[in-house]
């Protein structure tokens, strides 16, 4: 009997280190990185918006696949992806393509990773076996495990569209176009410094003023004084919790263009009562 008790005690003692081992803790969500939208669509049209920003417009009637870094458009708190699938009109002469399929993913990736190596946050598919209703927006609200390090959301005012606001923005862009046509790199950098600094931070790249000046000098040498503002048939759209104003023409194209074929997308915010180029 004593021998049996001794064996049982030894067995328990030998198991104790195993039983007391800590269970492995699964890794938590990333604390930094790049928010990436990946997409592909075949034989069906696809539109994607992130907080109002058009990742992919519905104007294209072509199959596609791609990805977009959306750190610039991620808010500190509530965010929203909107996706819409629509039937593609094909002429009788066109041969049938691939089955109507599409996929959209929201991923957090790290520097040096391929998107499919990142952390998947959201996924929406349209397939033959699981079709989505055509023509209706699918809204996906999501909370971010971390916010990209932008100062914009702390400083930008909440905007409301009005004729006064729109006229004020166009007046600012007239002055900005004149600055572009001076070809003075320092003046241009001064007008775009918030954008240059903030977007560098968002992308985890250190801001280097000398590099910015060099880039602007290369642009002015190539384009010269050919910038033109086209304010007719202008379209105004509020993005990102109404803190950014996007200004385009009715087709969604930039309204500041050059004779060399270059164009400048316009995203403005009001900071301390003044218009600022922010994206």
């Amino acid at each position: 009997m004593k021998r049996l008790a001794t064996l049982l005690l030894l067995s328990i003692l030998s198991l104790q280190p195993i039983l007391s081992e800590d269970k492995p803790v699964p890794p938590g969500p990333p604390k930094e990185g790049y928010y990436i939208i990946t997409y592909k669509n075949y034989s069906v049209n696809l539109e994607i918006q992130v907080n109002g920003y058009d990742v992919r417009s519905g104007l294209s009637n072509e199959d596609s696949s791609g990805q977009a870094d959306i750190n610039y458009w991620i808010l500190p708190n509530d965010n929203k992806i909107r996706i819409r699938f629509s039937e593609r009109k094909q002429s009788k002469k066109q041969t049938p393509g691939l089955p109507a399929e599409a996929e959209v993913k929201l991923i957090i990736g790290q520097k040096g990773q391929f998107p499919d190596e990142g952390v998947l946050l959201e996924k929406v598919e349209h397939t033959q076996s699981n079709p989505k209703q055509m023509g209706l927006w699918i809204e996906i609200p999501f909370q971010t495990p971390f916010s990209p390090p932008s100062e914009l959301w702390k400083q930008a005012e909440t905007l409301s569209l009005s004729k006064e606001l729109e006229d004020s923005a166009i007046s600012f862009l007239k002055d900005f176009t004149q600055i572009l046509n001076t070809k003075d790199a320092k003046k241009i950098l001064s007008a775009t410094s918030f954008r240059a600094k903030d977007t560098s931070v968002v992308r985890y790249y250190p801001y280097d003023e000398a590099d910015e000046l060099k880039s602007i000098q290369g642009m002015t040498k190539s384009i010269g004084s050919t910038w033109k503002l086209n304010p007719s048939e202008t379209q105004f759209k509020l993005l990102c919790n109404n803190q950014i104003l996007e200004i385009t023409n009715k087709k969604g194209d930039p309204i500041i263009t050059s004779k060399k074929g270059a164009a400048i997308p316009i995203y403005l915010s009001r900071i301390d009562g003044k218009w600022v180029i922010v994206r």
Side-chain angles (χ1 to χ4, degrees):
M1 191 69 179
K2 284 185 179 182
R3 180 177 175 80
L4 180 59
T6 303
L7 288 173
L8 285 172
L9 179 61
L10 290 173
S11 298
I12 291 170
L13 289 173
S14 65
L15 285 172
Q16 196 169 12
I18 299 173
L19 295 172
S20 64
E21 283 182 2
D22 292 333
K23 293 182 179 179
V25 178
K31 295 183 179 179
E32 68 172 28
Y34 302 91
Y35 289 90
I36 301 167
I37 290 282
T38 66
Y39 60 88
K40 54 186 177 183
N41 62 297
Y42 308 107
S43 302
V44 63
N45 284 357
L46 171 65
E47 296 168 77
I48 308 170
Q49 293 180 353
V50 176
N51 294 324
Y53 170 72
D54 287 324
V55 174
R56 177 171 170 77
S57 75
L59 299 177
S60 174
N61 214 34
E62 303 292 331
D63 293 343
S64 70
S65 63
Q67 65 184 62
D69 177 353
I70 57 169
N71 266 26
Y72 296 157
W73 314 104
I74 293 295
L75 296 165
N77 297 309
D78 297 329
N79 292 268
K80 185 184 293 182
I81 298 174
R82 300 178 78 225
I83 300 168
R84 181 162 65 177
F85 305 102
S86 55
E87 292 181 0
R88 183 174 296 172
K89 295 180 181 179
Q90 293 185 329
S91 66
K92 294 180 179 179
K93 294 180 180 179
Q94 287 179 301
T95 57
L98 295 170
E101 293 183 351
E103 178 187 85
V104 179
K105 292 180 180 179
L106 172 62
I107 296 168
I108 298 177
Q110 302 300 317
K111 187 175 182 179
Q113 280 187 328
F114 292 106
D116 59 4
E117 296 175 319
V119 176
L120 178 65
L121 295 184
E122 301 287 348
K123 180 179 178 180
V124 176
E125 288 183 301
H126 168 78
T127 63
Q128 287 183 309
S129 60
N130 184 26
K132 297 293 186 290
Q133 191 166 354
M134 294 289 104
L136 296 182
W137 284 102
I138 301 169
E139 293 194 352
I140 306 169
F142 66 97
Q143 294 282 337
T144 53
F146 67 90
S147 299
S150 172
E151 292 296 314
L152 175 61
W153 315 119
K154 300 175 186 177
Q155 301 180 40
E157 300 171 14
T158 300
L159 304 174
S160 179
L161 289 179
S162 66
K163 188 177 185 307
E164 181 182 3
L165 184 88
E166 294 168 5
D167 290 345
S168 173
I170 293 299
S171 178
F172 168 80
L173 292 179
K174 288 178 180 177
D175 292 340
F176 176 59
T177 306
Q178 289 180 352
I179 291 172
L180 288 173
N181 285 328
T182 65
K183 299 190 294 183
D184 187 322
K186 289 187 177 180
K187 285 184 178 180
I188 296 171
L189 179 59
S190 178
T192 59
S193 62
F194 184 95
R195 177 193 180 280
K197 292 175 183 177
D198 195 59
T199 56
S200 289
V201 169
V202 171
R203 293 283 299 155
Y204 308 105
Y205 283 111
Y207 173 75
D208 189 313
E209 185 173 305
D211 284 347
E212 289 293 329
L213 281 171
K214 186 176 180 180
S215 176
I216 291 170
Q217 288 165 351
M219 177 195 73
T220 57
K221 183 177 180 181
S222 173
I223 294 172
S225 302
T226 65
W227 292 106
K228 182 180 178 181
L229 174 68
N230 305 292
S232 60
E233 296 189 358
T234 308
Q235 181 172 272
F236 300 86
K237 181 182 178 183
L238 293 175
L239 316 176
C240 298
N241 203 26
N242 295 347
Q243 289 182 279
I244 293 180
L245 176 64
E246 178 187 21
I247 307 177
T248 65
N249 63 19
K250 293 297 182 182
K251 294 181 179 179
D253 298 324
I255 62 172
I256 295 182
T257 58
S258 79
K259 290 181 180 179
K260 305 287 186 176
I264 300 178
I266 299 299
Y267 300 99
L268 307 178
S269 291
R270 295 276 290 185
I271 298 176
D272 296 329
K274 298 179 180 179
W275 287 113
V276 177
I277 297 170
V278 294
R279 293 288 183 260

